[in-house]
Amino acid sequence: MMHPILLGIDGLGYGGFMECETPTLLSLVNSMERGVVENHAPQFENIAWSTILMMSGSDPSSSALMKLTKAIAVNLPVTDPTYGIYSIRLDESTTPEDEVNQVMNAVMNASRSKPVIASITAIERLLHKKPSMKCAIYSIIDGGIRRLLSNGDLGHVIIFSPFGEPQSEKEGDHYDYGVYLSTMPRPRHHDTVKVDEIGSLFLEMVEQANAY
Amino acid sequence: MSNDEELNKILERKYKELTRPVEVSHLTKNNFDEFIKEHEVAVVDFWAPWCAPCFMLEPIIKQLAIELKDIGFGKVNSEEEPDIAARYYVMSLPTIIIFKNGEPVDTIIGVVPKKALLNRIMAVVDKQ
């Protein structure tokens, strides 16, 4: 059985699911616990992830969430290059296909032994300057998620975005509402998910998985 | 009313129509009634921040607002404006209500494809 996975797809928005007709993501809205991540400006990737990881400074090894869950990090944008067993520069040098494929490979391998915390940064790296690539990137992400979900021994998963879609060329400028999809129900279903709650929700998921 | 006054009113109305911004208006108790009365056909999207499907519908509403410039498109945050939502018996989100001459004439509950929503709006527009 695969261990719990926390997968952040920075800048993913529900609006793109319909706009880009992503079959897997659309089906997940009906089949998983769904919510909306609410995060107002400033919406910088490294700040949001530092909060999620419960870091006490700029060093990812200080992350309380990583220590408590004993999770393996994959491509986390708290540093540049990203932090974890797969790592890229936070610029345009890595294609969305490469990133999504490599992150998914790393997540699927690592989660056989431990919980995994991973991120896909393609939307954030590319859409601020090239918004016309939106549906192409959504389609690649949709394919990657389909590949992940096709594992017969998949355990619990949270797929989320710490903020919504990029709104302009300006870094840190996003829509205030992101995605939250989980295999586990959460309390206060009729409330938005705050960025500082995501780590706790994953910790709870890992503790429940360990209890079985 | 003199011919000049009548002409000025027509010109004012036309000017307002032509300069009306195409974005979806945020409606509150302060502007809701005026909004549904000043547009012959108005499409109002009832949403809430915690409602994921509401955000799926949002780009469709925005696209239609750009394409159908003669129709008023508005959105009501039903958490902040529970009285407006209650007045029209909005029990599920998202709910879209199409108004004609200030009266609700059609209600669409849940996320629907753009074409389906467009057909429902045009049915109201075309109805005598």
Side-chain angles (χ1 to χ4, degrees):
Chain A
M1 183 82 165
M2 288 162 77
H3 288 261
I5 296 164
L6 178 67
L7 176 61
I9 305 173
D10 301 349
L12 190 75
Y14 283 114
F17 294 14
M18 288 290 277
E19 211 177 333
C20 302
E21 297 177 5
T22 49
T24 309
L25 290 167
L26 278 170
S27 73
L28 293 185
V29 176
N30 285 325
S31 58
M32 288 173 87
E33 165 80 10
R34 66 188 182 218
V36 175
V37 174
E38 184 173 4
N39 182 9
H40 299 276
Q43 303 147 320
F44 292 100
E45 210 173 19
N46 58 339
I47 295 172
W49 272 99
S50 298
T51 306
I52 293 161
L53 295 173
M54 306 171 184
M55 283 163 55
S56 53
S58 58
D59 179 7
S61 64
S62 71
S63 160
L65 184 65
M66 300 289 291
K67 285 176 186 162
L68 290 167
T69 57
K70 298 183 175 62
I72 296 171
V74 179
N75 196 37
L76 300 179
V78 283
T79 51
D80 187 6
T82 55
Y83 177 74
I85 55 169
Y86 173 68
S87 174
I88 60 168
R89 290 296 308 271
L90 289 172
D91 57 19
E92 296 181 19
S93 57
T94 307
T95 65
E97 288 94 338
D98 273 352
E99 186 190 15
V100 171
N101 279 334
Q102 296 299 326
V103 167
M104 288 306 172
N105 289 343
V107 166
M108 287 186 282
N109 288 331
S111 64
R112 307 279 174 201
S113 55
K114 282 183 175 181
V116 174
I117 302 176
S119 168
I120 290 172
T121 62
I123 292 175
E124 179 62 9
R125 285 187 297 112
L126 299 163
L127 282 199
H128 282 286
K129 287 182 182 155
K130 296 175 182 168
S132 63
M133 286 182 74
K134 181 176 174 178
C135 286
I137 297 176
Y138 268 68
S139 173
I140 293 162
I141 290 168
D142 194 67
I145 303 240
R146 185 168 56 244
R147 197 154 71 87
L148 175 68
L149 299 179
S150 66
N151 285 276
D153 58 346
L154 184 74
H156 283 297
V157 183
I158 295 173
I159 297 168
F160 77 98
S161 48
F163 36 70
E165 293 176 4
Q167 293 292 287
S168 68
E169 279 206 12
K170 222 168 68 185
E171 201 184 324
D173 182 21
H174 301 91
Y175 195 47
D176 290 344
Y177 301 101
V179 168
Y180 183 88
L181 296 162
S182 173
T183 50
M184 203 171 261
R186 65 185 173 91
R188 296 187 293 115
H189 176 86
H190 276 188
D191 197 1
T192 53
V193 180
K194 312 300 180 292
V195 173
D196 59 6
E197 292 171 352
I198 293 169
S200 307
L201 289 163
F202 184 61
L203 179 58
E204 200 177 308
M205 182 178 267
V206 171
E207 283 170 351
Q208 284 202 30
N210 289 342
Y212 288 108
Chain B
M1 190 185 291
S2 72
N3 281 347
D4 281 347
E5 278 174 341
E6 204 166 45
L7 184 62
N8 280 339
K9 281 201 168 179
I10 292 168
L11 287 172
E12 270 175 32
R13 199 172 63 232
K14 281 286 166 200
Y15 178 80
K16 275 185 186 171
E17 281 173 10
L18 291 171
T19 56
R20 178 158 50 89
V22 292
E23 74 258 23
V24 180
S25 305
H26 290 266
L27 304 178
T28 66
K29 58 180 176 296
N30 298 325
N31 62 357
F32 182 85
D33 290 334
E34 190 190 339
F35 182 83
I36 60 169
K37 277 178 195 152
E38 76 178 6
H39 296 94
E40 188 184 349
V41 176
V43 178
V44 179
D45 171 22
F46 289 82
W47 71 288
W50 51 264
C51 163
C54 297
F55 292 102
M56 293 168 69
L57 197 58
E58 198 177 28
I60 294 173
I61 299 277
K62 280 184 181 169
Q63 281 169 18
L64 288 172
I66 291 165
E67 290 169 23
L68 304 173
K69 289 194 169 59
D70 292 337
I71 292 169
F73 282 83
K75 56 193 289 181
V76 173
N77 181 336
S78 43
E79 283 211 328
E80 289 174 0
E81 304 294 339
D83 293 347
I84 302 175
R87 202 199 307 174
Y88 296 102
Y89 304 103
V90 173
M91 307 283 183
S92 309
L93 295 176
T95 289
I96 293 170
I97 301 182
I98 307 174
F99 293 86
K100 190 162 191 180
N101 300 319
E103 295 298 322
V105 289
D106 197 3
T107 301
I108 299 136
I109 297 168
V111 180
V112 292
K114 184 183 166 190
K115 198 177 173 191
L117 183 55
L118 178 64
N119 287 344
R120 298 280 282 269
I121 295 168
M122 294 319 291
V124 171
V125 170
D126 294 339
K127 206 172 176 181
Q128 292 303 311

